[in-house]
Amino acid sequence: MDLFTPVTFGSLNLANRLVMAPLTRVRAGDDGVPTALIAEYYEQRASLGLIVTEGTFTSEEAKGFSGQPGIVTDEQQAGWARVADAVHAAGGLIAMQVMHAGRVTHVEISGAARSVAPSAIAIEGETRTPNGKTAHQVPEAIALDELPAIVEEFVAASRRALAAGIDAVELHAANGYLLHEFLAPSSNTRTDAYGGSPENRIRFVVEVVTAVVEAVGADRVGLRISPERNIQGVIEDDAADVAITYGLLADALAPLGLAFLDFMHPEPAGALAQDIRSRVNAPFIVNTGFASPTTRDEALAIASADLADAVSIGRAAIANPDVVARWKAAADENEPDPATFYGPGAAGYTDYPALAV
């Protein structure tokens, strides 16, 4: 596999196999409406084969961060339409990561009456709200009769995304957020049909993905997973359970024919990654950036070993809007500034220089 050759994922014809990872940047303001600055940021990075946006909330309860964009209101949809138009005008493709934060939020952040999760288990430690640091709150366990409404939130958000001109959606089942919380026994202690066995723990994720596929088409739907990521209180430290759970998930998704599976794990050559790839019946994107950024050399090694169909990169894309050209030419790279990853304004967002031409 050559990183710099075209590839087709469902309805998406990528110019190359470098994918911009979903990266939380919290520049949307209190109303969750994407701004002209956000449109400029994504437009600058349109040379990547596919951009996956930051996680975008599906409802008030789903909002995880102050400044996070949403896809709930007409105004938010119109903001995303401006983003899509800008990326398309620059020749790029963009997928929206559709996200429910689950218990990884706080009512002082979301403005909702509660936070929700599969089970009433709080994350240990503190979170930061607009009013300062506070302990993570105990979420309310989602009742059985509430689950269909959450499925419909994902469907409605995905429909809005495509109506805005976004090319595809990536459903977020990684990094400790709601869908991931259902998959792991550490965060899902339910005793009904959605908890306990691996077959039960994958059920809600499969229902969400299936409903979105039925609404907008499998050729425009991807899924992100991060087995063994072990952050935000979702601990998956039983390797046998992980292999069974995610293998069953891959089997359940295979008949759908998704546009892609976005797989985050530090060992793309490992048995877990390659087993899932062989079973999921979808183009396989890998991202290895757990503790350190995915480098050019690492991406090239993944490609040369044919471990995936594309490689997802984060911090290199933040700091280098023209990362494809830089990596193709083996040129020097800008260094990312972590102090400006989150927060308002253009600094560390749209002001990284491109290569001189």
Side-chain angles (χ1 to χ4, degrees), residues 23-271:
L23 301 158
T24 300
R25 305 304 305 273
V26 294
R27 257 80 171 182
D30 293 338
D31 59 7
V33 175
T35 62
L37 183 68
I38 291 174
E40 179 185 1
Y41 166 73
Y42 286 119
E43 178 185 15
Q44 288 178 341
R45 289 154 179 81
S47 62
L48 285 140
L50 177 66
I51 291 168
V52 182
T53 74
E54 60 215 283
T56 304
F57 63 82
T58 59
S59 68
E60 186 180 44
E61 285 185 350
K63 181 178 179 181
F65 315 105
S66 300
Q68 182 185 11
I71 186 62
V72 183
T73 68
D74 290 346
E75 293 77 15
Q76 291 164 355
Q77 181 176 325
W80 281 116
R82 289 189 290 270
V83 173
D85 287 348
V87 171
H88 293 156
L93 293 171
I94 184 166
M96 178 186 292
Q97 188 182 68
V98 177
M99 169 184 161
H100 191 307
R103 64 183 183 170
V104 190
T105 189
H106 193 281
V107 294
E108 292 177 11
I109 295 170
S110 68
R114 61 179 187 167
S115 64
V116 298
S119 303
I121 303 170
I123 303 171
E124 292 185 8
E126 294 183 322
T127 188
R128 186 180 297 277
T129 77
N131 302 315
K133 286 188 176 181
T134 187
H136 282 285
Q137 63 190 132
V138 178
E140 188 173 313
I142 302 167
L144 265 177
D145 61 3
E146 293 178 310
L147 290 172
I150 296 177
V151 174
E152 183 53 35
E153 287 178 12
F154 278 94
V155 169
S158 300
R159 283 183 169 139
R160 277 192 178 272
L162 268 62
I166 298 292
D167 298 296
V169 294
E170 175 183 276
L171 306 177
H172 196 354
N175 297 354
Y177 299 110
L178 182 69
L179 296 185
H180 195 187
E181 291 163 12
F182 271 92
L183 294 173
S186 58
S187 48
N188 180 355
T189 59
R190 300 175 74 99
T191 56
D192 58 20
Y194 292 87
S197 68
E199 291 86 351
N200 284 356
R201 284 185 271 117
I202 70 169
R203 189 184 309 276
F204 188 61
V205 176
V206 174
E207 288 180 356
V208 169
V209 178
T210 302
V212 173
V213 163
E214 290 174 351
V216 305
D219 58 336
R220 295 188 182 275
V221 178
L223 179 71
R224 182 172 239 218
I225 58 174
S226 61
E228 301 175 319
R229 182 80 204 271
N230 296 339
I231 63 168
Q232 301 193 131
V234 173
I235 306 303
E236 296 169 308
D237 55 5
D238 181 337
D241 181 82
V242 168
I244 293 168
T245 301
Y246 285 91
L248 289 172
L249 178 62
D251 291 344
L253 297 175
L256 300 177
L258 295 179
F260 59 86
L261 182 73
D262 187 353
F263 182 82
M264 188 175 191
H265 197 276
E267 297 178 3

Side-chain angles (χ1 to χ4, degrees), residues 290-342:
F290 268 46
S292 60
T294 302
T295 65
R296 177 182 183 272
D297 287 347
E298 186 176 7
L300 289 171
I302 290 169
S304 66
D306 195 28
L307 299 177
D309 300 291
V311 177
S312 170
I313 57 174
R315 279 161 279 191
I318 286 177
N320 300 278
D322 54 353
V323 65
V324 176
R326 289 178 188 263
W327 280 17
K328 199 168 186 178
D332 291 340
E333 298 177 41
N334 301 319
E335 287 295 321
D337 176 14
T340 57
F341 283 174
Y342 313 111

